């Protein structure tokens, strides 16, 4: 069965640009591949705990672990297994204070475990080449040539984690200048925001269809070989 892991993280459950564009991806993906199984996780309503107990627990024998440590390791194990089980990923997130939401950081901290998801140099990642689409919303604008271009720690961080470390196929869909929709002295930027949102909607639809098509081809080898043998 083909699996998509869909994660939202904006603290807003209404009026969230990142959730909204991710929902457009989902709609197109579900239409294109209705047999796919989707696992949905909302990190705003169910934030993963910070790591301390899980890390401490992994360094001592199971007999020495407290019940809190056992619980922490179980949560980490579930997050890792859920991540490994997916064939494709859709993650939506806002920029908060120039970087990813702390819930996304906590989730990634649980995943970055040596020999499960991180591999030594020269050993292929277990999730190599899997497609991960991130829908990122920004109150401001951080594109090339803008005054705050080098304040963006969100996109470089995601590249380091998902591309350089996990060797995944990362696509980031940006919705920029969302503050212009409600901050009066940014109203002159509204047309640029609308342009950015329209491009994001198109990109989300195209990307969802492309991911669905690639998965449809890659996960049904039995049907393909039966056709060849006749
Ligand atoms: C706590 C907080 C911090 C924020 N920090 C930034 C920031 O550093 N840069 C930026 O461009 N926008 C920032 N914003 C604005 C959000 O990125 C913007 O409102 C975005 O649209 C939120 O995503 P959402 O629409 O999916 O909820 C911040 C918003 C909040 C609530």
């Amino acid at each position: 069965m083909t699996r998509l892991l869909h994660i939202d993280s904006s603290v807003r459950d209404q009026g969230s640009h990142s959730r909204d564009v991710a929902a457009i991806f989902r709609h197109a993906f579900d239409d294109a591949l209705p047999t796919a199984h989707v696992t949905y996780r909302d990190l705003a309503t169910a934030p993963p705990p910070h790591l301390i107990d899980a890390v401490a627990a992994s360094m001592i024998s199971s007999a020495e672990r407290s019940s809190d440590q056992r619980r922490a390791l179980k949560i980490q194990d579930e997050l890792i297994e859920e991540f490994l089980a997916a064939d494709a990923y859709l993650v939506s997130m806002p920029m908060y204070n120039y970087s990813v939401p702390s819930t996304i950081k906590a989730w990634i901290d649980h995943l970055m475990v040596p020999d499960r998801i991180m591999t030594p140099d020269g050993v292929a990642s277990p999730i190599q080449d899997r497609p991960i689409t991130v829908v990122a919303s920004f109150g401001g604008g951080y594109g090339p040539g803008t005054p705050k271009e080098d304040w963006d720690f969100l996109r470089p961080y995601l590249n380091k984690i998902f591309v350089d470390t996990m060797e995944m196929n990362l696509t980031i869909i940006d919705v920029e200048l969302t503050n212009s929709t409600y901050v009066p002295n940014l109203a002159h930027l509204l047309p640029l925001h609308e342009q950015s949102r329209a491009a994001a909607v198109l990109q989300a639809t195209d990307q969802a269809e492309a991911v669905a098509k690639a998965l449809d081809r890659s996960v049904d080898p039995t049907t393909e070989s039966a056709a060849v043998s006749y």
Side-chain angles (χ1 to χ4, degrees):
M1 176 182 288
T2 314
R3 288 176 188 273
L4 175 77
L5 176 60
H6 174 181
I7 292 190
D8 283 330
S9 62
S10 169
V11 294
R12 297 198 289 189
D13 62 355
Q14 298 293 315
S16 156
H17 298 269
S18 57
R19 286 176 186 266
D20 189 33
V21 173
I24 289 167
F25 176 111
R26 262 301 295 285
H27 193 72
F29 181 85
D30 293 350
D31 269 2
L33 197 55
T35 54
H37 175 89
V38 179
T39 303
Y40 178 71
R41 199 174 264 286
D42 189 336
L43 297 186
T45 54
H50 285 293
L51 267 185
I52 297 164
D53 262 350
V55 169
S58 68
M59 294 173 185
I60 57 177
S61 74
S62 51
E64 291 172 292
R65 286 175 197 150
S66 67
S67 57
D68 280 355
Q69 286 172 326
R70 279 197 292 275
R71 199 169 54 84
L73 276 182
K74 187 165 174 284
I75 292 169
Q76 181 172 48
D77 190 54
E78 280 168 12
L79 291 172
I80 290 174
E81 288 303 317
E82 176 182 86
F83 196 70
L84 288 172
D87 302 290
Y89 309 80
L90 167 65
V91 186
S92 81
M93 66 182 77
M95 173 184 270
Y96 290 149
N97 299 311
Y98 309 108
S99 187
V100 299
S102 57
T103 50
I104 291 281
K105 177 67 168 60
W107 174 63
I108 288 172
D109 285 344
H110 280 291
L111 300 179
M112 294 285 281
V113 173
D115 297 327
R116 294 199 68 187
I117 290 187
M118 290 164 73
T119 47
D121 284 351
V123 177
S125 160
I127 45 176
Q128 191 176 50
D129 295 333
R130 289 191 201 168
I132 178 163
T133 306
V134 170
V135 176
S137 51
F138 305 80
Y142 300 85
T146 56
K148 286 202 164 170
E149 180 183 352
D150 64 349
W151 290 53
D152 172 13
F153 294 94
L154 183 148
R155 283 175 282 213
Y157 173 69
L158 296 180
N159 268 294
K160 286 285 171 235
I161 295 293
F162 293 122
V163 180
D164 295 349
T165 307
M166 298 190 189
E167 302 170 8
M168 300 175 81
N169 183 359
L170 170 68
T171 301
I172 303 180
I173 300 176
D174 304 321
V175 187
E176 290 203 319
L177 299 166
T178 63
N179 287 350
S180 67
T181 58
Y182 67 94
V183 178
N185 67 4
L186 296 178
H188 62 288
L189 296 171
L190 193 55
L192 283 179
H193 159 67
E194 283 166 353
Q195 240 176 50
S196 164
R197 188 180 185 284
V201 168
L202 280 182
Q203 197 186 350
T205 309
D206 289 351
Q207 172 73 2
E209 287 168 359
V211 170
K213 200 167 161 190
L215 291 180
D216 207 14
R217 268 203 308 269
S218 68
V219 293
D220 201 2
T222 317
T223 309
E224 280 173 18
S225 58
V228 170
S229 63
Y230 283 97

